[in-house]
Amino acid sequence: ALGVSPPAFPQLEEVQADVMSTQASWGSYRDFLTERDNLAHKDWLSMRDQVWKIEDFLAKWEGACSGANAHDPGKTAIALVLLKEIDAYRRCLPYLKSIMRGMGWEDNHWAQMFSLLGFKGGSLTKETVTLSHFLDKADAVMAHVEQIQQLDAMVSESITKAAVKSLTATVMCNARMDVQQVTPLSSYVGTSQR
């Protein structure tokens, strides 16, 4: 307006680029959390047969993090945060797929596991626990794997014993019925001589 050209502020352009880059990086973290929460807030009893969805989710985000480069410190920092979370989830995943499924567990077994993981007594039940509860306690899962394995083995053993007992009772009952249905040999001997 006064015949003066606008001043150049190259530092402001650098700051603006840095802010935009940081905003995009945190946006990817927000996207990670949103996607994780969509999976993690489902109840565990329905989610335990769909652990493959978690594996796919982790693989997708691990791949996205590998695209971070050293020229963008904001993306690299967020990628490191994401990779740390992904690693914690991935370490507890084999146990979610096996010993923590809770197949055949009674309420007291669930309560024992919740206690091992540090949940306040009575705050969770098998109906209210979500995948998120386990993911948030991934470090506790790793710290108590042996105790959880023992708990699962104890439940499996008791289920096996009950199944064998039931099968034995069924076989014995069927055997008694078969014996009662057999016509005594003496009834045949007497009829053939007449």
Side-chain angles (χ1 to χ4, degrees):
L2 298 173
V4 179
S5 60
F9 295 106
Q11 294 87 359
L12 285 180
E13 291 172 9
E14 288 176 25
V15 169
Q16 182 181 13
D18 187 44
V19 167
M20 298 298 283
S21 173
T22 302
Q23 202 171 27
S25 298
W26 282 104
S28 67
Y29 186 65
R30 181 193 62 235
D31 295 344
F32 169 84
L33 292 177
T34 300
E35 191 174 340
R36 183 202 70 171
D37 289 347
N38 286 338
L39 285 173
H41 286 93
K42 295 181 180 177
D43 69 284
W44 177 242
L45 295 180
S46 64
M47 196 61 199
R48 66 185 175 189
D49 292 327
Q50 300 174 19
V51 175
W52 58 270
K53 289 182 178 181
I54 305 161
E55 293 173 314
D56 289 352
F57 161 75
L58 295 177
K60 170 189 167 185
W61 281 97
E62 200 167 39
C65 289
S66 67
N69 61 43
H71 301 296
D72 189 343
K75 281 188 178 178
T76 303
I78 297 302
L80 291 174
V81 169
L82 287 174
L83 288 171
K84 183 178 178 185
E85 285 192 45
I86 290 168
D87 182 57
Y89 299 161
R90 198 173 290 285
R91 285 184 297 126
C92 98
L93 202 57
Y95 306 110
L96 291 174
K97 290 168 45 176
S98 59
I99 62 172
M100 294 179 66
R101 291 173 48 83
M103 301 302 283
W105 287 23
E106 300 292 334
D107 291 342
N108 63 321
H109 302 122
W110 286 98
Q112 288 176 41
M113 182 176 64
F114 296 150
S115 175
L116 285 171
L117 298 179
F119 292 108
K120 198 174 195 178
S123 65
L124 285 178
T125 66
K126 67 183 177 187
E127 291 83 14
T128 61
V129 69
T130 64
L131 172 61
S132 180
H133 289 109
F134 294 138
L135 293 179
D136 291 345
K137 296 285 188 170
D139 291 332
V141 168
M142 297 308 300
H144 297 287
V145 162
E146 287 184 26
Q147 292 98 324
I148 297 169
Q149 285 173 328
Q150 290 170 358
L151 178 63
D152 187 58
M154 179 184 70
V155 171
S156 295
E157 183 179 329
S158 99
I159 289 172
T160 302
K161 284 180 181 178
V164 168
K165 185 176 180 179
S166 175
L167 181 60
T168 302
T170 302
V171 168
M172 294 302 288
C173 182
N174 288 341
R176 270 189 245 121
M177 289 171 58
D178 288 344
V179 168
Q180 290 172 354
Q181 291 175 357
V182 172
T183 307
L185 185 56
S186 60
S187 62
Y188 290 114
V189 173
T191 57
S192 64
Q193 294 175 350
R194 292 184 191 163

